[in-house]
């Protein structure tokens, strides 16, 4: 497989939803992750522009990841999960990495309220918060 390119982090359209579900169904042994992505999309933790796909050179979507809202103590943050690549032979090709990099770059540019902080320090001048991580309800934890 050739080089993988990441699509725009603002790709989110209804037309991409079936392909994203298929990527997650193909990447994991059970439908739990695909169901999680669908549940997160319907949840208030979903943030438009932070769901990213990666495509092969033909433009076929082969990778997906997303960032959703969570909290560390009372501090807003973002959670990266799941990361999926469609087929085992495409895993290790850079599709997942391309999607993750694009999502993190989008998060750095995302209009985050002053009181919010990303778990991965996107702003080295701000200390990481302390406390229990509370994920979006669809994670079930």
């Amino acid at each position: 497989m050739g080089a993988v390119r990441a699509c725009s982090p603002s790709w989110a359209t209804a037309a991409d939803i079936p392909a994203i579900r298929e990527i997650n169904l193909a990447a994991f042994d059970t439908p739990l992750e695909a169901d999680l992505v669908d549940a997160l999309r319907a949840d208030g933790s979903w943030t438009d522009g932070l769901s990213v796909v990666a495509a092969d050179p033909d433009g076929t979507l082969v990778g997906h990841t997303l960032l959703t809202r969570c909290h560390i103590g009372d501090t807003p943050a973002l959670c990266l999960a799941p990361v999926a690549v469609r087929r085992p032979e495409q895993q290790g090709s850079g599709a997942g990495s391309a999607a993750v990099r694009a999502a993190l770059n989008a998060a750095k540019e995302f209009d985050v309220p002053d009181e919010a902080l990303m778990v991965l320090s996107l702003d080295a001048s701000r200390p990481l918060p302390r406390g229990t991580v509370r994920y979006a309800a669809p994670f079930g934890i």
Side-chain angles (χ1 to χ4, degrees):
M1 181 173 150
V4 175
R5 65 174 172 78
C7 296
S8 169
S10 61
W11 65 266
T13 67
D16 297 313
I17 293 171
I20 291 168
R21 181 161 179 85
E22 287 302 316
I23 290 167
N24 281 281
L25 287 171
F28 298 100
D29 293 335
T30 72
L32 293 176
E33 284 81 3
D35 293 345
L36 173 62
V37 171
D38 291 342
L40 287 167
R41 187 179 297 108
D43 188 76
S45 63
W46 186 268
T47 303
D48 288 334
L50 295 180
S51 178
V52 180
V53 293
D56 68 13
D58 296 330
T60 302
L61 299 184
V62 297
H64 173 254
T65 195
L66 64 112
L67 294 166
T68 55
R69 290 182 182 99
C70 69
H71 286 82
I72 302 174
D74 292 327
T75 304
L78 293 173
C79 170
L80 174 68
V83 177
V85 176
R86 186 182 295 268
R87 293 186 293 271
E89 66 270 14
Q90 292 167 320
Q91 294 169 359
S93 70
S97 295
V100 169
R101 279 192 305 276
L104 293 176
N105 286 337
K108 287 179 186 176
E109 300 301 319
F110 196 73
D111 186 20
V112 178
D114 289 341
E115 71 277 4
L117 176 72
M118 311 306 166
V119 174
L120 170 65
S121 182
L122 300 176
D123 181 351
S125 69
R126 298 178 77 172
L128 291 175
R130 294 183 184 271
T132 302
V133 177
R134 291 180 290 121
Y135 294 95
F139 279 98
I141 51 176

